[in-house]
């Protein structure tokens, strides 16, 4: 049997990959406007990083990591998310020593051993940002605004921003106790996963699709917030309102990663079956210290947007992604001498920045014309022996059929002028 791609992965082929390039270019361009700089950290890290960073009680660390021993017997893991690696790089490279706020972004593959379904893959891609060094609520709002602007600018319709505050560890400890007390009477009726969550991470009980009914009437974390948490949350909301970013408060929003403090948020959109979360993030004030060691207590806030999910929603909403420009010229040489000249001219055009192509399969002129059509070439340039002798070439504009003859020297030295003026 022939070898097939691993379950939950995709081959991104020409025709599809242009959409990815479009999204990635948009992400980079947007980050420039918001003054975020790119960081590229390794795709695999020491397993310990994710255990410490993402949290032992999470599904990601408990069930979904691609972990392996390398040849030196070290436990390594393909990154299941981007934040932990960026925090590690931030600490290791002492980026906190740089005077201005460190604002970073990344685009790349992440790996989670999940049950594949529409919008859920084992290798997927995130566009993420992380901003370190500030507790100012305006940076939480900026991060939320950047994600929202990204979705809007690529044409996504009806994206909802949901926000919550998950407080500080001490706020959560009190809340957790109350949640356990609330769920205690129904504990034995809950699914197996929830029985474990009940002990280890009761906030995740609110997130279970199966046991949703048991959560009705459960206490809200917002009622447990202390003064500091409430003020921070209020200010984030004020900044969002000032920027005219619409949002909905969802006190049940708990993220699947353990590192969040204060602000947590998600972007939702319909169109991928059962899944409606297309991106999420939040603040993580204790994470740098947790990963970097004592004395490294820089705050942070960030987001991760799944690119596969964006493409699925765009498709479901019928939003077209702009196609890259087609070929400028398709060159056809008729006869041996003309074909040689075509090879030379093709190179001259490409060096001048013109998108040009020719046939490499010895096909007849008719087949070559069809090929030019498939590439949607603006011009077909035909060179026969007679024209070659005169030092000229015939250009045919494919949309109008208009023809013109130009000097080989002219087009070879200033193609843009000959073709586009
Ligand atoms: P996350 O919510 O685990 O957050 O993932 C962010 C996004 O990645 C999801 O909303 C979804 O679009 C996409 N995603 C996650 N898992 C899959 C999957 N199996 N298949 C396809 N897409 C998926 C984080 O990863 C955090 N690091 C975000 C963050 C950055 N928080 C602060 N900074």
């Amino acid at each position: 049997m022939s070898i097939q791609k691993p379950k939950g992965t995709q081959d991104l082929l020409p025709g599809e990959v242009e959409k990815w390039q479009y999204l990635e270019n948009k992400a980079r361009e947007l980050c420039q406007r918001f003054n975020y700089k790119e960081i590229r950290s390794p795709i695999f890290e020491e397993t310990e990083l994710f255990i410490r960073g993402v949290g032992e009680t999470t599904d990601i660390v408990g069930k979904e990591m691609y972990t392996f021993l390398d040849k030196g017997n070290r436990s390594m893991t393909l990154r299941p998310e981007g934040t932990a690696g960026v925090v590690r790089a931030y600490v290791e490279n002492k980026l906190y020593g740089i005077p201005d706020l460190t604002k970073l972004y990344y685009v790349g593959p992440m790996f989670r051993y999940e049950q594949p379904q529409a919008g859920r893959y084992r290798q997927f891609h995130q566009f993420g940002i992380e901003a370190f060094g500030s507790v100012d609520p305006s940076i939480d709002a900026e991060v939320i605004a950047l994600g929202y602007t990204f979705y809007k600018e690529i044409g996504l319709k009806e994206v909802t921003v949901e926000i919550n505050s998950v407080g500080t560890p001490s706020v959560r400890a009190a809340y957790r106790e109350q949640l356990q007390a609330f769920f205690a009477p129904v504990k034995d009726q809950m699914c197996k996963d929830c029985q474990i969550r009940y002990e280890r991470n009761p906030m995740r009980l609110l997130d279970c699709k199966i046991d949703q009914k048991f959560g009705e009437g459960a206490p809200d974390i917002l009622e447990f917030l202390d003064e500091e948490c409430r003020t921070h949350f209020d200010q984030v909301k004020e900044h969002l309102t000032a920027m005219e970013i619409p949002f909905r408060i969802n006190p049940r929003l708990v993220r699947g990663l353990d590192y969040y403090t204060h602000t947590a948020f998600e972007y939702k959109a319909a169109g991928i079956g059962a899944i409606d979360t297309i991106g999420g993030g939040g603040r993580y004030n204790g994470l740098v210290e947790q990963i970097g060691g004592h004395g490294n207590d820089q705050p942070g806030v960030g987001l991760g947007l799944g690119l596969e999910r964006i493409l699925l929603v765009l498709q479901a909403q019928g939003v077209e992604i702009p196609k890259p420009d087609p070929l400028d010229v398709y060159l056809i040489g008729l006869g041996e001498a003309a074909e040689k000249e075509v090879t030379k001219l093709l190179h001259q055009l490409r060096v001048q920045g013109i998108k040009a192509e020719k046939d490499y399969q010895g096909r007849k002129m008719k087949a070559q014309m069809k090929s030019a059509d498939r590439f949607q070439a603006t011009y077909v340039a035909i060179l026969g022996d007679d024209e070659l002798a005169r030092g000229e070439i015939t250009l045919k504009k494919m949309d109008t059929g208009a023809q013109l003859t130009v000097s080989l020297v002219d087009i070879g030295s200033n193609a843009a002028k000959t073709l586009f003026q």
Side-chain angles (χ1 to χ4, degrees), residues 81 83 112 114 119 121 126 130 255 259-260 278-279 302-303 306:
E81 60 101 50
T83 312
R112 294 183 195 176
E114 292 199 78
Y121 305 91
Q126 277 184 1
E130 314 292 348
R255 308 261 306 124
Y259 46 62
Y260 294 110
I278 54 172
L303 59 69

Side-chain angles (χ1 to χ4, degrees), residues 264-276:
F265 59 91
E266 282 184 349
Y267 304 96
K268 308 237 158 141
I272 333 178
I275 291 176
D276 62 356

Side-chain angles (χ1 to χ4, degrees), residues 339-353:
E339 276 174 34
K340 271 223 175 82
E341 185 65 23
V342 155
T343 308
K344 173 180 154 194
L345 180 57
L346 180 67
H347 186 67
Q348 286 175 327
L349 292 180
R350 287 170 170 172
V351 168
Q352 291 177 68

Side-chain angles (χ1 to χ4, degrees), residues 143-181:
V143 168
I144 297 171
L146 187 149
Y148 186 75
T149 309
F150 181 66
Y151 291 131
K152 283 283 137 189
E153 289 193 1
I154 57 177
L156 221 70
K157 293 173 248 174
E158 289 163 42
V159 178
T160 311
V161 181
E162 292 191 352
I163 61 169
N164 192 17
S165 172
V166 293
T168 53
S170 62
V171 161
R172 271 204 302 274
Y175 178 56
R176 222 175 260 156
E177 254 175 48
Q178 292 292 313
L179 270 184
Q180 276 177 328

Side-chain angles (χ1 to χ4, degrees), residues 208-269:
C208 180
K209 297 271 183 294
I210 311 165
D211 289 330
Q212 238 165 20
K213 53 182 183 298
F214 296 127
E216 276 167 33
D220 270 357
I221 187 153
L222 294 179
E223 287 155 22
F224 288 75
L225 296 186
D226 59 18
E227 187 62 30
E228 181 215 339
C229 292
R230 211 166 321 134
T231 308
H232 187 90
F233 193 42
D234 284 346
Q235 288 183 8
V236 172
K237 288 185 278 183
E238 278 166 29
H239 287 296
L240 286 174
T241 306
M243 288 189 277
E244 295 182 17
I245 308 291
F247 62 87
R248 201 175 82 82
I249 296 162
N250 177 2
R252 295 295 175 90
L253 191 149
V254 274
R255 308 261 306 124
L257 305 99
D258 272 356
Y259 46 62
Y260 294 110
T261 55
H262 296 283
T263 317
F265 59 91
E266 282 184 349
Y267 304 96
K268 308 237 158 141

Side-chain angles (χ1 to χ4, degrees), residues 34-37 90 94-105 129-140 142-143 283 298-301:
F34 280 70
N35 198 27
Y36 285 72
K37 305 273 191 289
Y90 172 80
K94 300 188 173 57
L95 298 186
Y96 47 81
I98 296 171
D100 292 309
L101 206 61
T102 312
K103 303 207 297 185
L104 304 168
Y105 79 89
I129 66 172
E130 314 292 348
F132 296 99
S134 168
V135 289
D136 188 331
S138 71
I139 190 90
D140 306 44
E142 172 179 299
V143 168
R283 177 167 278 286
Q298 294 289 335
V301 52

